Amino acid sequence: MKSRLYILFISLLLSTFASAQAVSAGLDQDVCAGSSVTLSGSGANSYTWTSSLNITVQDGVPFSPASTGFYIVNGYDASSTLVGTDTVTVTVISLPQAPSASTTYTYCQFASSMQITATASSGHTLKWYASDGVTLLSGAPTPSTASATTTPLTYYVAQENANGCEGPQVTITVTVSADPGAPSVSDITYCKDAPASSLSATASTGNTLVWYDTDGTTVLSGAPTPSTVTVGTTTYYVAQQTAGGCEGAKASITVTIDPLPSAPSATTSVS
């Protein structure tokens, strides 16, 4: 009789031990600060959770822990009898700071543009986003200058640490100023050795003229006055520049110097 009771006791003890061992809180988890984590027990019928952080945790319901802590799950059978406990640790990983970056770029329309740059902290990688701040780009963008912008183009960049935690985004704006076009000009003709005036051109309102020598490259201090000593044609160039420093296409001004006519033929009579 005693032997039978002993066997029954041992069987009950092993059954209880097995049930207790079956309750699991899952694997330890790492979570980025501000992100949510879900704890779910297994091996029992229902579960309650307690936390070292003194926060309320419900089984299978996401929550966002503020700091690292451990969590204890109690598992119950269908009759609400405790059948086991387990512990899990949730480690909260701090987010990196925003990367270092220039936040404004300004280009003239049709000018060459460069790839936008930012500097990540050591051991971090940059993540670039399109103007919606959500669409992930394959790398740093190179803005197009084909069209002037009525509102600035916007890009975003953040950095991610080795744990996959991403920090705040930096907003980068790109403004493309409109090309002012060429100024209004007219060709001019002089007779050889005639007095000449400084060349003229008309810039758009708010723009200034930039004069070039006959090579189209050398910038002059102002509008040139053509020489009329030599017969022939000479071409000068002029462009206009916006207040923001954007220069448009050059216009050419052709100066023609015509030869003087020969003296008329005349008959001299002698009385």
Side-chain angles (χ1 to χ4, degrees), residues 95-112:
L95 301 182
Q97 297 179 339
S100 174
S102 297
T103 56
T104 56
Y105 288 78
T106 301
Y107 289 103
C108 298
Q109 188 177 7
F110 307 126
S112 298

Side-chain angles (χ1 to χ4, degrees), residues 127-202:
K127 299 187 72 174
W128 292 92
Y129 293 90
S131 58
D132 59 4
V134 176
T135 302
L136 186 64
L137 303 177
S138 59
T142 300
S144 170
T145 62
S147 300
T149 55
T150 53
T151 57
L153 302 171
T154 305
Y155 298 96
Y156 300 90
V157 61
Q159 61 178 335
E160 184 179 80
N161 60 27
N163 296 296
C165 295
E166 184 176 324
Q169 295 177 339
V170 174
T171 303
I172 298 173
T173 58
V174 179
T175 300
V176 180
S177 300
D179 186 301
S184 176
V185 298
S186 296
D187 294 335
I188 190 168
T189 300
Y190 288 103
C191 293
K192 184 180 183 302
D193 299 324
S197 302
S198 299
L199 298 181
S200 64
T202 303

Side-chain angles (χ1 to χ4, degrees), residues 15-37:
S15 176
T16 302
F17 179 77
S19 297
Q21 289 295 101
V23 173
S24 172
L27 298 175
D28 291 342
Q29 299 188 47
D30 294 337
V31 62
C32 300
S35 298
S36 62
V37 64

